[in-house]
Amino acid sequence: MSADPTAVMAATDEAVTPAKAPATPRGIPTLLLLNIATVVLGIALWWTLSLIGLQIPGPPEVLLKGIELATSGILLQDVAASLLRVFTGFLLGTALAIPVGFLMGWYTWARGLLEPWVQFFRTIPPLAIIPLAIVLMGIGEQPKIFVIFLASFLACVISTFQGVVQVDKTLLNAARVLGAKDGTIFTRVVVPASTPFILVGMRVGLGSAWATVVAAELIAAQRGLGYRMQQAQIYYDLPTIFVGILVIGIFGFVMDRTLLAIEARATQWQERR
């Protein structure tokens, strides 16, 4: 006799969703204060090193250069070009990585066919693909987006795959005993349990995307943060190089925090420290 589908869904939800950890609102301001303190200390250390004779520009000099580049419109153009490349490659890479990772983790035949190729290309740095991509695709946007796509895909597909294969077997067996079909088990057990792994892979892939886009722009680009830093290096323009580094770091940090907030919202069922 088959189980009532409503009972199956409810039991599966109960198995997947543990009790939420008690909120700790007092810890949030403390963490924020620590974040602010470490930023202030980092800037103070940077300023001190510039004053004691280290050949680096100080924060005021970098700030003035940033204002100059922003008011001239150069910084906005470079930021827009780099962001477009990062977003395009990153979104395409993760959009393909998630279904491929689920496929590899859920079906043995897919793992056998795809895993050797994923592991093979994962050992090759995306930066090593840039010369080949330029030869095959030219010096336009395609090779830059392709290497960013590759970096994001490889980071996310491995994490998704690991999330699927590490789902607690007790949850899977309990769902099957209650009469749940494979489709229900996959959507109500495997996907929620794998979500934290997917989002971690996306965060790693985002960092890889930024590193790759800068390298790609150093080789072949007419605008972008990496291109601007390369031009500044030719003329020993250290403030412009520092502006590029800071802008990349700020955008990368904001995007990472955004993914972290999405992760916290999507995995509310998960107990946290």
Side-chain angles (χ1 to χ4, degrees):
M1 182 175 63
S2 60
D4 180 11
T6 304
V8 171
M9 303 288 277
T12 306
D13 282 340
E14 184 177 353
V16 174
T17 310
K20 292 183 179 179
T24 55
R26 294 176 59 186
I28 297 175
T30 301
L31 184 61
L32 181 60
L33 287 175
L34 289 174
N35 290 158
I36 295 172
T38 191
V39 171
V40 172
L41 289 175
I43 295 174
L45 177 60
W46 169 22
W47 204 336
T48 301
L49 291 175
S50 68
L51 292 175
I52 63 176
L54 194 63
Q55 298 300 314
I56 59 173
E61 188 177 356
V62 173
L63 179 60
L64 290 175
K65 175 58 72 171
I67 294 173
E68 176 187 337
L69 293 172
T71 53
S72 66
I74 294 175
L75 184 60
L76 180 60
Q77 293 177 2
D78 291 335
V79 168
S82 294
L83 280 176
L84 180 61
R85 291 163 186 153
V86 167
F87 274 123
T88 304
F90 174 71
L91 292 177
L92 290 175
T94 53
L96 181 62
I98 293 173
V100 170
F102 277 131
L103 197 65
M104 290 171 53
W106 192 247
Y107 296 106
T108 305
W109 60 266
R111 184 185 312 178
L113 290 175
L114 298 175
E115 187 178 15
W117 292 106
V118 170
Q119 296 294 347
F120 173 78
F121 283 105
R122 195 169 68 92
T123 59
I124 303 174
L127 304 185
I129 307 294
I130 293 177
L132 177 62
I134 291 175
V135 170
L136 296 177
M137 303 179 185
I139 59 174
E141 293 299 306
Q142 291 86 353
K144 303 177 188 63
I145 293 175
F146 173 74
V147 293
I148 297 168
F149 157 81
L150 189 61
S152 304
F153 171 80
L154 293 173
C156 191
V157 70
I158 292 296
S159 185
T160 304
F161 165 68
Q162 290 297 325
V164 175
V165 299
Q166 291 186 17
V167 174
D168 191 347
K169 297 297 186 293
T170 302
L171 297 177
L172 300 178
N173 293 333
R176 288 194 176 98
V177 167
L178 291 171
K181 304 298 183 182
D182 282 351
T184 302
I185 294 173
F186 182 80
T187 56
R188 304 302 294 271
V189 179
V190 175
V191 172
S194 304
T195 298
F197 291 85
I198 295 171
L199 291 168
V200 168
M202 291 177 66
R203 293 176 64 193
V204 175
L206 182 61
S208 300
W210 274 109
T212 305
V213 72
V214 171
E217 291 174 347
L218 288 173
I219 295 175
Q222 297 301 317
R223 65 175 53 137
L225 294 170
Y227 166 77
R228 193 62 52 194
M229 293 166 66
Q230 181 195 36
Q231 296 299 306
Q233 177 258 331
I234 295 175
Y235 298 102
Y236 205 69
D237 184 1
L238 290 180
T240 298
I241 295 175
F242 268 71
V243 170
I245 292 172
L246 289 174
V247 170
I248 291 170
I250 291 171
F251 273 101
F253 179 80
V254 170
M255 293 168 70
D256 181 78
R257 294 297 97 177
T258 302
L259 285 176
L260 197 61
I262 294 173
E263 177 185 356
R265 188 173 183 84
T267 59
Q268 294 179 357
W269 53 269
Q270 191 178 34
E271 293 184 359
R272 298 178 179 272
R273 291 177 56 184

